[in-house]
Amino acid sequence: MTRLVVIGGGAAGMSAASAARRVAPGLDVVVCEAGGFAAYGMCGIPYFLGGTVRRAESLLAYPPEEFRDRRGIDLRLFTRVTGIDPATRRVRVGRQDLGYDALIVASGADPVRPPVPGLGHDRVFTVRSLDEAIRLRRLLDGGAVRRAIVVGAGYIGLETAEALVCTGADVEVIEALPRVLGTVDEPVADLVAAELTRHVRLRLGARLEAVLSRDGGLTAVVDGTALDADLLIVATGIRPATGLLAQAGARCLPDGSVLVDGCMRTSLPGIFAVGDCVALPHLVLGGPAWVPLGPAANKTGRVAGTVAAGGTASFAGIVGTAVVKVFGLEVARTGLGLAEATTAGLAAVATDVVSRSRAKYYPGGSPLHVRLVHEPGGRLLGAQLAGSEGAAKRIDVLATALHAGFTIDDLTALDLSYAPPFAPVYDPVLLAAGHAARSAISTAGGSS
Amino acid sequence: MTRLVVIGGGAAGMSAASAARRVAPGLDVVVCEAGGFAAYGMCGIPYFLGGTVRRAESLLAYPPEEFRDRRGIDLRLFTRVTGIDPATRRVRVGRQDLGYDALIVASGADPVRPPVPGLGHDRVFTVRSLDEAIRLRRLLDGGAVRRAIVVGAGYIGLETAEALVCTGADVEVIEALPRVLGTVDEPVADLVAAELTRHVRLRLGARLEAVLSRDGGLTAVVDGTALDADLLIVATGIRPATGLLAQAGARCLPDGSVLVDGCMRTSLPGIFAVGDCVALPHLVLGGPAWVPLGPAANKTGRVAGTVAAGGTASFAGIVGTAVVKVFGLEVARTGLGLAEATTAGLAAVATDVVSRSRAKYYPGGSPLHVRLVHEPGGRLLGAQLAGSEGAAKRIDVLATALHAGFTIDDLTALDLSYAPPFAPVYDPVLLAAGHAARSAISTAGGSS
């Protein structure tokens, strides 16, 4: 009997284990998870913190028994792997070695902790695991948090800020950059900032310098000012948790993400990597990029598990599609932002059009901002949408267009659905595409 | 000075006139509209009837003065064209002739009135024009309609039934076929019927035989049963209003729709046709088809107006995307249904998957039915979605995939957006595509 070892019991790791089990019922499948939970939706953590999701168990795709008893997967919780030896095909677990025939590394991403003194304070959280979230939720339920500071205005920072507001806390968001949400361009980020300031205090271009202990709480020093709080969330970004793989000699990108082929094989024989720790083929960039998001984590897990167990599967690539709810605003993006496109050496312009989510005469509609990033009169490179409704899934039209390699003209030709409660007769995507096409003609390739 | 005459002041006709004016500011543009309104959203009529839209004027894209005074378009209301003479390039208006250099026919579609005695009753309406809707709304506002019968369970019948329920009326829907909404396949139609019966009485396979006068109302004879009502709506379908064009010798399809080229030129020199009266290139069928819907009406108008005025434009085609709100249900479709595909000689199967509109742990989600019509393991041919939320704009992902000629495998590879409030980590489209891909393997091309 051969053995598959999976490092990491998150969505990617458990997808891999389950796929392998389906393909090869006789395979010995062992999953080593450092924490106390497996197969949970990490993206649900903010909603658990805020009370939208009542029980932590609701975030589990399946309870541990499902894997152990029904699927025959040897899921070992609180089991940290501390080393990989590709030569002898063994991983180090505590004081013991565990042999493998195939290894799938699904070690995810770790929070980046800025070099700020005092972050060891017991009221400082990063919210990167369900175990930690449960401890934090206990604190919130106890009524101890009246004032909270969130450091970092990316996806996790903003979702956590909203969750804390939901618990009744007074929240301040601190961001070192002069803008929020670096994954969208400025015009869309400005809409997010405007929505944020309706619910929290927002300090942009502000740096956390230290966290000091205070009786029953903490004091954050931000640009020389002391801010008292009961809780501080560090959400200043994540990085690939690829220490074990790098040590073992796997090829990585400079950002630390692991390079894999279409079957999720690393450069080391018998070792696959999946989920938030890998670089994936970016179909717009035409090369590997690290864009850690849930859907690709699940899909890459399934691919690696299938292949490791002897089946056939491959992962086609990503276009970098993401959506986030920021209070009453849906913010979505796909492909490249304008700065990303320019950095990648592409001749790119952006077209911004604000239209409506419904027919103008149908009540309940709201403004919808569509930003298209494109070659002048040419290929679509990316898109960003923001509005109270209609942004979250409309982005998928543009993601699909990126998969198809569509030009702006192709976009204008799309036969999109129309009924007054759901869209204007010219869908906001078509309006923006039409504008992009016309401005390309009128400016002969200039900025639009 | 040359003259462009447009027959029909609906969305298509006014789009044509406005586009022509933009391209050729010196052109004499005359629009002849038989009714009293121009440039209104016909799709908004049910919402005006039901009171969701308060004022009829709200449905106008622009008031008549906008066209006359600002755009320099000679818009003539209550002006019916009764003949076209392509040889002398003249149209007949009342007792006069009006010469043209280019003619754009945007005559739309007429309701099909079944051969039932008594349909001339003044409480029988078809709701195909704003003029008629205003008369009906007056009746509704007067409180005269407590009981209404809607004959026909297509888009217009269902939207009108909902509107009447909104006014407080007791509504019965009569449909001659054994099912509702012929534009979707049975499994989706069944969901629509179930939603309908929560709000109205529904009689399927029932035939209206006569309408009789009754003091202050009418009596509908349905399968030998007398049903008293204050109002009867005939919504038994529409047909292309192409009498004038056919008489003038334009090439038409057997269903009466006019054949046009990519610039919307008919077979008659100098005569274009646009909107609900034309057959358009169907990108999945690979030939012309009559699918009268608002977005294409607007777009074809713009194309013909541009070309007629000397500019360059073309219409790429349709895939038959549509959405309708039926009480609490969003029902959307694109491409071909299973029966349509089979009739077209395509080897088609259908895959039905019911998943959720949001992450399972996120409150407020609802079941979402996705039906994919596809070649076994091959090309996507069509799709249908139904659910309380998430169907209306998600269909556009599949419409875009049809434009791209995607296979089921291409669909499974799509990088679609995910966040718990908006979708499960595997979007319902991906789940359905995965199911279609796997069933094609397991059944080696059989029905899935």
Side-chain angles (χ1 to χ4, degrees):
Chain A
M1 187 191 224
T2 54
R3 183 187 293 144
L4 168 67
V5 172
V6 178
I7 301 178
M14 295 317 292
S15 290
S18 297
R21 163 62 61 244
R22 277 196 301 274
V23 171
L27 190 69
D28 181 21
V29 179
V30 182
V31 179
C32 301
E33 163 57 41
F37 293 94
Y40 62 86
M42 201 156 55
C43 303
I45 287 180
Y47 305 102
F48 166 64
L49 289 179
T52 304
V53 176
R54 299 242 174 117
R55 298 167 54 248
E57 292 70 29
S58 301
L59 299 187
L60 303 182
Y62 302 99
E65 306 82 70
E66 164 72 20
F67 295 105
R68 287 177 185 146
D69 304 342
R70 301 250 175 97
R71 303 196 184 184
I73 291 169
D74 182 0
L75 170 59
R76 304 181 186 178
L77 299 176
F78 302 112
T79 302
R80 184 177 295 277
V81 173
T82 54
I84 301 170
D85 184 357
T88 63
R89 299 211 173 195
R90 306 179 84 79
V91 294
R92 188 80 187 162
V93 182
R95 293 186 175 181
Q96 295 191 309
D97 279 355
L98 179 65
Y100 64 79
D101 299 283
L103 176 67
I104 297 178
V105 180
S107 43
D110 288 328
V112 176
R113 286 180 161 254
V116 168
L119 287 191
H121 194 289
D122 66 359
R123 291 289 181 90
V124 173
F125 289 78
T126 55
V127 200
R128 231 357 240 182
S129 74
L130 190 49
D131 306 79
E132 193 186 10
I134 289 171
R135 282 193 290 119
L136 175 50
R137 168 79 178 260
R138 212 167 287 144
L139 195 67
L140 295 168
D141 285 349
V145 178
R146 259 173 277 176
R147 182 129 200 255
I149 295 171
V150 175
V151 184
Y155 295 132
I156 298 171
L158 297 188
E159 287 179 338
T160 306
E162 183 177 343
L164 293 170
V165 168
C166 285
T167 69
D170 180 60
V171 177
E172 178 145 4
V173 175
I174 312 282
E175 167 62 52
L177 296 174
R179 43 159 302 180
V180 302
L181 209 55
T183 48
V184 296
D185 291 340
E186 278 79 358
V188 175
D190 288 348
L191 296 172
V192 177
E195 175 68 9
L196 266 179
T197 51
R198 284 186 199 106
H199 303 275
V200 305
R201 272 188 310 285
L202 177 63
R203 268 178 211 243
L204 297 176
R207 202 164 281 279
L208 176 69
E209 290 159 341
V211 174
L212 312 173
S213 274
R214 193 175 49 83
D215 198 25
L218 55 82
T219 297
V221 183
V222 176
D223 289 340
T225 304
L227 303 174
D228 290 351
D230 305 306
L231 172 72
L232 186 137
I233 304 286
V234 178
T236 48
I238 56 174
R239 68 182 148 215
T242 48
L244 292 179
L245 278 170
Q247 244 177 313
R251 283 187 60 210
C252 294
L253 287 185
D255 62 16
S257 58
V258 188
L259 285 166
V260 290
D261 68 9
C263 297
M264 311 310 295
R265 290 188 198 93
T266 68
S267 59
L268 300 172
I271 304 185
F272 301 75
V274 300
D276 285 354
C277 67
V278 300
L280 293 170
H282 194 295
L283 301 177
V284 183
L285 284 173
W290 183 60
V291 187
L293 291 166
N298 280 269
K299 289 180 189 171
T300 56
R302 193 182 275 189
V303 167
T306 301
V307 174
T312 308
S314 64
F315 183 75
I318 56 169
V319 295
T321 314
V323 60
V324 62
K325 176 180 174 303
V326 182
F327 295 94
L329 201 66
E330 304 180 0
V331 187
R333 56 100 65 219
T334 189
L336 307 180
L338 184 59
E340 284 175 287
T342 307
T343 303
L346 297 161
V349 294
T351 300
D352 291 278
V353 174
V354 180
S355 51
R356 302 278 304 171
S357 62
R358 308 183 184 188
K360 65 165 189 168
Y361 53 77
Y362 197 93
S366 51
L368 185 62
H369 187 117
V370 178
R371 179 176 178 86
L372 300 179
V373 177
H374 54 98
E375 293 169 347
R379 186 166 66 116
L380 178 72
L381 300 172
Q384 295 162 36
L385 274 73
S388 299
E389 66 171 10
K393 283 283 123 183
R394 203 174 248 113
I395 197 71
D396 288 347
V397 172
L398 295 149
T400 305
L402 287 175
H403 277 271
F406 276 178
T407 63
I408 288 296
D409 282 345
D410 293 329
L411 269 192
T412 62
L414 290 178
D415 183 8
L416 303 182
S417 69
Y418 164 60
F422 306 119
V425 69
Y426 280 101
D427 188 90
V429 169
L430 297 178
L431 274 179
H435 197 89
R438 285 192 299 280
S439 65
I441 294 167
S442 62
T443 63
S447 169
S448 56
Chain B
M1 188 191 222
T2 55
R3 183 189 290 145
L4 168 68
V5 171
V6 178
I7 301 178
M14 295 317 292
S15 289
S18 298
R21 163 62 61 246
R22 276 195 301 274
V23 171
L27 190 69
D28 181 20
V29 180
V30 181
V31 179
C32 301
E33 163 57 41
F37 293 94
Y40 62 88
M42 201 157 55
C43 302
I45 286 180
Y47 305 101
F48 166 63
L49 289 179
T52 304
V53 175
R54 300 243 172 116
R55 297 167 55 248
E57 292 70 28
S58 301
L59 299 186
L60 304 183
Y62 302 98
E65 306 81 72
E66 165 71 20
F67 296 104
R68 286 176 186 147
D69 304 342
R70 299 250 176 96
R71 301 195 184 184
I73 291 170
D74 182 359
L75 169 60
R76 304 180 185 178
L77 299 176
F78 302 112
T79 302
R80 185 177 293 278
V81 172
T82 54
I84 301 171
D85 184 357
T88 62
R89 299 211 172 193
R90 305 178 85 79
V91 295
R92 188 81 188 161
V93 182
R95 295 185 172 181
Q96 295 190 310
D97 279 355
L98 178 64
Y100 65 79
D101 299 281
L103 175 68
I104 297 178
V105 180
S107 43
D110 287 330
V112 176
R113 284 179 161 254
V116 168
L119 287 192
H121 193 290
D122 67 357
R123 290 289 182 90
V124 174
F125 288 78
T126 55
V127 199
R128 230 1 239 181
S129 73
L130 190 50
D131 304 79
E132 192 186 11
I134 288 171
R135 281 193 291 118
L136 175 50
R137 168 79 179 259
R138 213 167 286 145
L139 194 67
L140 295 168
D141 284 348
V145 179
R146 259 173 277 175
R147 182 131 199 256
I149 295 172
V150 175
V151 184
Y155 294 133
I156 297 170
L158 298 187
E159 287 179 339
T160 307
E162 183 178 342
L164 293 170
V165 168
C166 284
T167 68
D170 181 57
V171 177
E172 180 146 3
V173 175
I174 312 282
E175 167 61 52
L177 296 174
R179 45 158 302 181
V180 302
L181 208 57
T183 47
V184 297
D185 291 341
E186 278 79 358
V188 175
D190 289 347
L191 297 173
V192 177
E195 175 68 9
L196 265 179
T197 51
R198 283 185 201 108
H199 304 275
V200 304
R201 271 188 311 286
L202 177 63
R203 269 178 208 242
L204 296 176
R207 203 165 281 278
L208 176 69
E209 291 159 342
V211 174
L212 311 173
S213 273
R214 191 175 49 81
D215 197 25
L218 56 82
T219 296
V221 183
V222 176
D223 289 340
T225 303
L227 303 174
D228 291 351
D230 305 306
L231 171 73
L232 187 137
I233 304 285
V234 178
T236 48
I238 56 173
R239 68 182 147 215
T242 48
L244 292 179
L245 277 170
Q247 244 177 311
R251 282 188 59 211
C252 294
L253 285 185
D255 63 16
S257 59
V258 187
L259 285 167
V260 290
D261 68 9
C263 297
M264 311 310 296
R265 290 188 196 94
T266 68
S267 60
L268 300 172
I271 304 185
F272 301 75
V274 299
D276 285 354
C277 67
V278 300
L280 294 170
H282 194 296
L283 301 177
V284 184
L285 285 174
W290 183 60
V291 187
L293 290 167
N298 280 269
K299 289 179 188 171
T300 56
R302 194 182 274 189
V303 167
T306 301
V307 174
T312 308
S314 63
F315 183 73
I318 57 169
V319 296
T321 314
V323 60
V324 61
K325 175 181 175 300
V326 182
F327 295 95
L329 201 66
E330 303 180 359
V331 187
R333 55 100 65 218
T334 189
L336 307 180
L338 185 57
E340 285 175 287
T342 307
T343 304
L346 296 161
V349 293
T351 300
D352 292 278
V353 174
V354 179
S355 52
R356 303 277 304 169
S357 61
R358 309 183 184 187
K360 65 164 189 167
Y361 54 78
Y362 197 93
S366 53
L368 184 62
H369 187 117
V370 178
R371 180 177 178 86
L372 300 180
V373 178
H374 54 99
E375 294 170 346
R379 186 167 65 117
L380 177 72
L381 300 172
Q384 295 160 37
L385 274 72
S388 299
E389 66 170 11
K393 282 284 123 183
R394 203 175 248 112
I395 197 69
D396 288 347
V397 172
L398 295 149
T400 305
L402 288 175
H403 277 271
F406 275 178
T407 64
I408 289 294
D409 282 345
D410 293 330
L411 270 192
T412 63
L414 290 179
D415 183 9
L416 303 182
S417 68
Y418 164 60
F422 306 119
V425 68
Y426 280 100
D427 188 272
V429 169
L430 297 178
L431 275 179
H435 197 87
R438 285 192 299 279
S439 66
I441 293 167
S442 61
T443 63
S447 169
S448 55

